[in-house]
Amino acid sequence: MSEIQLRLPDGQQKSVPSGITGQEVAENIGSRLAKDALAIKVDGRLQDLSIPVERSAAIEIVTFGTPEGREVYWHSTSHLMAHAVKQLFPQAKLAIGPAIDEGYYYDFDYERPFTPEDLVKIETRMSELTKAATLITRKVVSKAEALAFFRQKAETYKVELINELPDGSISIYEQGDFADLCRGPHVFSTAKIKSFKLLSVAGAYWRGDEKKKMLQRIYGISFTTKEALDQYLVRLEEIKRRDHRKLGRDLDLFSVSDEVGGGLALWHPRGAMIRKTIEDFWRDEHQRNGYDFVFTPHVGRGALWETSGHLGFYRENMYSSMEVEGQEYYVKPMNCPFHIMIYKNKLRSYRELPMRYAELGTVYRFERSGVLHGLLRVRGFTQDDAHIFVAPEDMEAEIIRVIDFTVRMLKTFGFEDFKAYIATRPEKSVGDNTMWEQATQALKVAANKVNLSYEMDDGGGAFYGPKIDIKIKDALGRLWQCSTVQFDFNEPERFDMTYIGVDNQAHRPYMIHRALLGSIERFFGMLIEHYAGAFPVWLAPVQVKVLSITDKQLDYAKGMRDALLAAGIRTELDVRSEKMGFKIRGAELEKVPYILVVGDKEMQQEAVAVRMRGGKDMGVMPLTQFIKNMRKTIEEKK
């Protein structure tokens, strides 16, 4: 048998027999690695451990500690779950069952809804299947053979998927009496799957199309150890506790009503107060940083959206048109065409650049009902939008300024951990290479200047320009897409934007789209979950709650409330005839940062008894001292 050379990730070379399997390669490297191995990458291509390696190549053994390893593990667990379902409910038809960001799901067509008791039975059968240590094998067949195989099993959804595949070989994975259409790869035995939990059942339209049949989607998670699974389940409970939809209801911040329409949020007074605070801060900071505010309509003529390209490239995400005096109008999905028209209102000079237009502009996009999710995925939202028009030679300095501003703003809201991705030119794109290279380099330089670490997303840019996406990490370590700085070489061409340069000739400006918070709705949902509803003092809708012990202190308590309000401190008064413990408990449930208790002693001393959120007793102090401390805390946005 001939020898081949395998190059390991650390650069080490191994001479092995041609035809060695991935599992044997792992065993050759080390017993611990062989135990943890889930798949192998051969020259970057992921494949099963059972497939022979027949040529010299760069290889990497994939374990659960890598994103690819988790995907293989979770995908294999989804097959294990489907295997258990088919054994317990033979009439259930298989749809699809992929790995997702955290865990996996499988869609089934079954005559009745799956119950919690059913999930327990499925988990039990999954455990039995793992103990059986059934080998998972890959079989390659022709398209005709695959169709015949799944038709014989009456798996109509698999038949539909196969019919859409091109002619050629198709892979089927088998484990015991279960078989599934799949590209793979998968673990080599059911025994590899150690600890798992089925989490929930939800409805899901076949192929995501509400015109097609509603299926049942079972979600699950799995890990290689019970300890990791237990830790995840604890974290999941914390995520549920922080769910912005639950806290939004409990704290009376917002609601979404079917009578109003899905994905259209109603801001209640307390939520609206937080929003006002965010927007006031946003406007103040933008004014300090050289932005001009603009306001634009909620609708525009169809011809505008034709010029911008939205009707050609984005129509399926736009609401239907309305006819006004024989003209088509659309509610706006984006603000950029309006900002461009403000720029084009007169001839521009290089002396005016860069021009920075900022708007808290409400836009409307058609999202399918199945993806709507509280404030995180809505149909109407306010984007903290800005468009910057800049001369090419000033582009790098402007990008540094934008990213520095973005990071400072996000830090003020309590986010310190960021992850950035710079997306470069895709295959299909507009603009010449020089523009793309200059813009991409400017993004890299700016990220380095503000010490923002980033990863390259090669080919991940939009067709009209490169971009940098900034994700923030919340209190639970979750990453949220937040800020985007996006070059656009397309719109200036479509709208024939120009400025008169120092040479007295017309030149094309560069255009930069910039969303700092993303959308106010989504950012607010993120803040709720990050802080679990216990907002920092400067953001809290009610910063102080004044509680009187008896009616004797009523007038004094009202005077305190009025003094606090006059000092710009958001204050509420609780003078109900309830026990003090009950009133304190109510204020704590509302997550009010400070509680001021007023009794006879405090009234005589013209002071207040201060209690912090969380129960810490700050003692008695003069009201003037408390106001001074509060104003300092609010101004510093601690």
Side-chain angles (χ1 to χ4, degrees), residues 11 37 113 143 167 178 196 200 227 232 256 282 311 324 340 346 369 406 408 423 457 476 512 615:
K143 182 174 180 178
D167 292 338
F178 175 78
F196 43 81
S200 62
E227 292 76 16
Y232 178 84
V256 179
W282 185 93
L311 286 180
V324 180
I340 291 171
K346 65 177 185 177
S369 58
T406 299
R408 282 190 288 109
D457 179 11
L476 295 181
I512 301 167

mmCIF file of all heavy atoms in Angstrom, residues 11 37 113 143 167 178 196 200 227 232 256 282 311 324 340 346 369 406 408 423 457 476 512 615:
data_model
loop_
_atom_site.group_PDB
_atom_site.id
_atom_site.type_symbol
_atom_site.label_atom_id
_atom_site.label_comp_id
_atom_site.label_asym_id
_atom_site.label_seq_id
_atom_site.Cartn_x
_atom_site.Cartn_y
_atom_site.Cartn_z
ATOM 1 N N GLY A 11 1.534 22.064 11.569
ATOM 2 C CA GLY A 11 2.601 21.991 10.584
ATOM 3 C C GLY A 11 3.314 20.651 10.546
ATOM 4 O O GLY A 11 4.092 20.377 9.621
ATOM 5 N N ALA A 37 -12.907 12.730 18.566
ATOM 6 C CA ALA A 37 -13.083 13.010 17.133
ATOM 7 C C ALA A 37 -14.525 12.805 16.696
ATOM 8 O O ALA A 37 -15.176 11.817 17.059
ATOM 9 C CB ALA A 37 -12.158 12.109 16.319
ATOM 10 N N PRO A 113 -50.839 17.026 17.523
ATOM 11 C CA PRO A 113 -49.700 17.737 18.119
ATOM 12 C C PRO A 113 -48.916 16.829 19.073
ATOM 13 O O PRO A 113 -49.502 16.044 19.818
ATOM 14 C CB PRO A 113 -50.359 18.894 18.884
ATOM 15 C CG PRO A 113 -51.719 19.038 18.288
ATOM 16 C CD PRO A 113 -52.135 17.672 17.852
ATOM 17 N N LYS A 143 -29.992 9.335 -8.355
ATOM 18 C CA LYS A 143 -31.219 10.073 -8.062
ATOM 19 C C LYS A 143 -32.439 9.167 -8.199
ATOM 20 O O LYS A 143 -33.351 9.205 -7.360
ATOM 21 C CB LYS A 143 -31.336 11.281 -9.000
ATOM 22 C CG LYS A 143 -32.559 12.142 -8.747
ATOM 23 C CD LYS A 143 -32.541 13.401 -9.611
ATOM 24 C CE LYS A 143 -33.770 14.267 -9.345
ATOM 25 N NZ LYS A 143 -33.746 15.515 -10.150
ATOM 26 N N ASP A 167 -29.411 15.801 -11.458
ATOM 27 C CA ASP A 167 -29.094 14.391 -11.670
ATOM 28 C C ASP A 167 -27.665 14.126 -11.195
ATOM 29 O O ASP A 167 -26.774 14.958 -11.334
ATOM 30 C CB ASP A 167 -29.223 14.020 -13.153
ATOM 31 C CG ASP A 167 -30.671 14.061 -13.619
ATOM 32 O OD1 ASP A 167 -31.564 13.953 -12.757
ATOM 33 O OD2 ASP A 167 -30.904 14.215 -14.832
ATOM 34 N N PHE A 178 -33.417 3.096 10.397
ATOM 35 C CA PHE A 178 -33.716 4.484 10.041
ATOM 36 C C PHE A 178 -32.795 4.934 8.905
ATOM 37 O O PHE A 178 -31.604 4.597 8.879
ATOM 38 C CB PHE A 178 -33.510 5.399 11.247
ATOM 39 C CG PHE A 178 -33.674 6.869 10.950
ATOM 40 C CD1 PHE A 178 -34.932 7.432 10.815
ATOM 41 C CD2 PHE A 178 -32.563 7.686 10.793
ATOM 42 C CE1 PHE A 178 -35.088 8.786 10.539
ATOM 43 C CE2 PHE A 178 -32.698 9.038 10.521
ATOM 44 C CZ PHE A 178 -33.973 9.584 10.397
ATOM 45 N N PHE A 196 -28.404 14.797 25.946
ATOM 46 C CA PHE A 196 -29.294 15.601 25.107
ATOM 47 C C PHE A 196 -30.580 15.932 25.858
ATOM 48 O O PHE A 196 -30.912 15.310 26.873
ATOM 49 C CB PHE A 196 -29.622 14.852 23.807
ATOM 50 C CG PHE A 196 -29.934 13.399 24.008
ATOM 51 C CD1 PHE A 196 -31.187 12.970 24.426
ATOM 52 C CD2 PHE A 196 -28.946 12.450 23.795
ATOM 53 C CE1 PHE A 196 -31.455 11.635 24.625
ATOM 54 C CE2 PHE A 196 -29.198 11.106 23.994
ATOM 55 C CZ PHE A 196 -30.466 10.695 24.413
ATOM 56 N N SER A 200 -38.557 21.981 23.118
ATOM 57 C CA SER A 200 -39.877 22.556 22.827
ATOM 58 C C SER A 200 -40.395 22.040 21.502
ATOM 59 O O SER A 200 -39.664 21.439 20.719
ATOM 60 C CB SER A 200 -39.799 24.093 22.782
ATOM 61 O OG SER A 200 -38.928 24.513 21.752
ATOM 62 N N GLU A 227 -22.346 17.342 32.384
ATOM 63 C CA GLU A 227 -22.054 18.607 33.056
ATOM 64 C C GLU A 227 -22.299 19.788 32.116
ATOM 65 O O GLU A 227 -22.888 20.801 32.518
ATOM 66 C CB GLU A 227 -20.597 18.632 33.546
ATOM 67 C CG GLU A 227 -20.288 17.660 34.663
ATOM 68 C CD GLU A 227 -20.170 16.209 34.205
ATOM 69 O OE1 GLU A 227 -20.019 15.985 32.970
ATOM 70 O OE2 GLU A 227 -20.234 15.310 35.055
ATOM 71 N N TYR A 232 -25.769 24.308 30.404
ATOM 72 C CA TYR A 232 -26.546 24.947 29.352
ATOM 73 C C TYR A 232 -27.993 25.143 29.789
ATOM 74 O O TYR A 232 -28.590 26.203 29.560
ATOM 75 C CB TYR A 232 -26.510 24.106 28.079
ATOM 76 C CG TYR A 232 -27.346 24.697 26.964
ATOM 77 C CD1 TYR A 232 -26.834 25.682 26.129
ATOM 78 C CD2 TYR A 232 -28.669 24.284 26.762
ATOM 79 C CE1 TYR A 232 -27.598 26.240 25.122
ATOM 80 C CE2 TYR A 232 -29.440 24.840 25.750
ATOM 81 C CZ TYR A 232 -28.905 25.813 24.946
ATOM 82 O OH TYR A 232 -29.670 26.372 23.958
ATOM 83 N N VAL A 256 -47.489 43.966 21.851
ATOM 84 C CA VAL A 256 -47.791 43.754 20.438
ATOM 85 C C VAL A 256 -49.187 43.158 20.380
ATOM 86 O O VAL A 256 -49.467 42.156 21.049
ATOM 87 C CB VAL A 256 -46.769 42.820 19.762
ATOM 88 C CG1 VAL A 256 -47.127 42.602 18.301
ATOM 89 C CG2 VAL A 256 -45.361 43.376 19.883
ATOM 90 N N TRP A 282 -28.938 60.030 22.017
ATOM 91 C CA TRP A 282 -28.514 59.821 20.628
ATOM 92 C C TRP A 282 -28.417 61.150 19.895
ATOM 93 O O TRP A 282 -27.418 61.429 19.219
ATOM 94 C CB TRP A 282 -29.522 58.897 19.951
ATOM 95 C CG TRP A 282 -29.186 58.481 18.558
ATOM 96 C CD1 TRP A 282 -28.510 57.366 18.170
ATOM 97 C CD2 TRP A 282 -29.553 59.157 17.335
ATOM 98 N NE1 TRP A 282 -28.409 57.294 16.793
ATOM 99 C CE2 TRP A 282 -29.044 58.390 16.260
ATOM 100 C CE3 TRP A 282 -30.246 60.324 17.047
ATOM 101 C CZ2 TRP A 282 -29.230 58.754 14.929
ATOM 102 C CZ3 TRP A 282 -30.417 60.701 15.728
ATOM 103 C CH2 TRP A 282 -29.908 59.914 14.683
ATOM 104 N N LEU A 311 -37.192 48.491 -5.805
ATOM 105 C CA LEU A 311 -38.260 47.722 -6.458
ATOM 106 C C LEU A 311 -37.684 46.562 -7.260
ATOM 107 O O LEU A 311 -38.355 45.545 -7.460
ATOM 108 C CB LEU A 311 -39.104 48.629 -7.350
ATOM 109 C CG LEU A 311 -40.067 49.565 -6.616
ATOM 110 C CD1 LEU A 311 -40.858 50.408 -7.609
ATOM 111 C CD2 LEU A 311 -41.027 48.785 -5.722
ATOM 112 N N VAL A 324 -52.178 56.970 -5.398
ATOM 113 C CA VAL A 324 -52.548 58.326 -5.007
ATOM 114 C C VAL A 324 -52.542 59.189 -6.263
ATOM 115 O O VAL A 324 -51.491 59.386 -6.886
ATOM 116 C CB VAL A 324 -51.558 58.890 -3.956
ATOM 117 C CG1 VAL A 324 -51.972 60.310 -3.561
ATOM 118 C CG2 VAL A 324 -51.489 57.991 -2.739
ATOM 119 N N ILE A 340 -30.503 61.091 0.051
ATOM 120 C CA ILE A 340 -29.836 61.419 -1.212
ATOM 121 C C ILE A 340 -30.525 62.601 -1.884
ATOM 122 O O ILE A 340 -29.864 63.509 -2.423
ATOM 123 C CB ILE A 340 -29.825 60.189 -2.134
ATOM 124 C CG1 ILE A 340 -28.891 59.113 -1.572
ATOM 125 C CG2 ILE A 340 -29.400 60.576 -3.554
ATOM 126 C CD1 ILE A 340 -28.978 57.783 -2.281
ATOM 127 N N LYS A 346 -29.343 70.795 -4.184
ATOM 128 C CA LYS A 346 -28.584 71.888 -4.795
ATOM 129 C C LYS A 346 -27.197 71.382 -5.157
ATOM 130 O O LYS A 346 -26.784 70.297 -4.748
ATOM 131 C CB LYS A 346 -28.495 73.087 -3.853
ATOM 132 C CG LYS A 346 -27.720 72.835 -2.580
ATOM 133 C CD LYS A 346 -27.632 74.118 -1.748
ATOM 134 C CE LYS A 346 -26.748 73.927 -0.522
ATOM 135 N NZ LYS A 346 -26.600 75.167 0.256
ATOM 136 N N SER A 369 -44.818 36.173 9.144
ATOM 137 C CA SER A 369 -45.308 36.060 10.522
ATOM 138 C C SER A 369 -44.512 35.059 11.337
ATOM 139 O O SER A 369 -44.338 35.218 12.546
ATOM 140 C CB SER A 369 -46.788 35.668 10.522
ATOM 141 O OG SER A 369 -46.988 34.452 9.825
ATOM 142 N N THR A 406 -19.023 55.087 17.251
ATOM 143 C CA THR A 406 -19.883 53.932 17.485
ATOM 144 C C THR A 406 -19.494 53.198 18.759
ATOM 145 O O THR A 406 -20.345 52.894 19.610
ATOM 146 C CB THR A 406 -19.804 52.963 16.289
ATOM 147 O OG1 THR A 406 -20.261 53.617 15.109
ATOM 148 C CG2 THR A 406 -20.636 51.714 16.532
ATOM 149 N N ARG A 408 -17.741 54.286 21.341
ATOM 150 C CA ARG A 408 -17.986 55.119 22.532
ATOM 151 C C ARG A 408 -19.464 55.116 22.911
ATOM 152 O O ARG A 408 -19.810 55.041 24.098
ATOM 153 C CB ARG A 408 -17.501 56.548 22.285
ATOM 154 C CG ARG A 408 -15.991 56.704 22.396
ATOM 155 C CD ARG A 408 -15.546 58.150 22.383
ATOM 156 N NE ARG A 408 -15.676 58.762 21.076
ATOM 157 C CZ ARG A 408 -16.584 59.690 20.760
ATOM 158 N NH1 ARG A 408 -17.445 60.106 21.680
ATOM 159 N NH2 ARG A 408 -16.633 60.210 19.542
ATOM 160 N N ALA A 423 -16.456 42.662 5.827
ATOM 161 C CA ALA A 423 -16.913 41.873 4.682
ATOM 162 C C ALA A 423 -16.384 42.495 3.392
ATOM 163 O O ALA A 423 -16.547 43.695 3.159
ATOM 164 C CB ALA A 423 -18.443 41.805 4.663
ATOM 165 N N ASP A 457 -14.482 38.607 6.591
ATOM 166 C CA ASP A 457 -15.550 37.819 5.965
ATOM 167 C C ASP A 457 -15.365 37.971 4.451
ATOM 168 O O ASP A 457 -15.999 38.806 3.810
ATOM 169 C CB ASP A 457 -16.911 38.342 6.430
ATOM 170 C CG ASP A 457 -18.076 37.598 5.797
ATOM 171 O OD1 ASP A 457 -17.835 36.551 5.174
ATOM 172 O OD2 ASP A 457 -19.227 38.070 5.934
ATOM 173 N N LEU A 476 -24.930 37.558 29.256
ATOM 174 C CA LEU A 476 -24.888 36.101 29.188
ATOM 175 C C LEU A 476 -23.898 35.602 28.141
ATOM 176 O O LEU A 476 -23.860 34.415 27.834
ATOM 177 C CB LEU A 476 -26.289 35.546 28.885
ATOM 178 C CG LEU A 476 -27.350 35.789 29.955
ATOM 179 C CD1 LEU A 476 -28.674 35.161 29.542
ATOM 180 C CD2 LEU A 476 -26.913 35.236 31.302
ATOM 181 N N ILE A 512 -21.713 56.460 2.632
ATOM 182 C CA ILE A 512 -21.588 55.493 3.720
ATOM 183 C C ILE A 512 -22.920 55.410 4.453
ATOM 184 O O ILE A 512 -23.434 56.426 4.935
ATOM 185 C CB ILE A 512 -20.469 55.901 4.704
ATOM 186 C CG1 ILE A 512 -19.127 56.002 3.971
ATOM 187 C CG2 ILE A 512 -20.387 54.919 5.862
ATOM 188 C CD1 ILE A 512 -18.038 56.688 4.789
ATOM 189 N N GLY A 615 -31.841 45.757 47.830
ATOM 190 C CA GLY A 615 -32.034 45.666 49.278
ATOM 191 C C GLY A 615 -31.007 46.383 50.129
ATOM 192 O O GLY A 615 -31.147 46.411 51.358
#
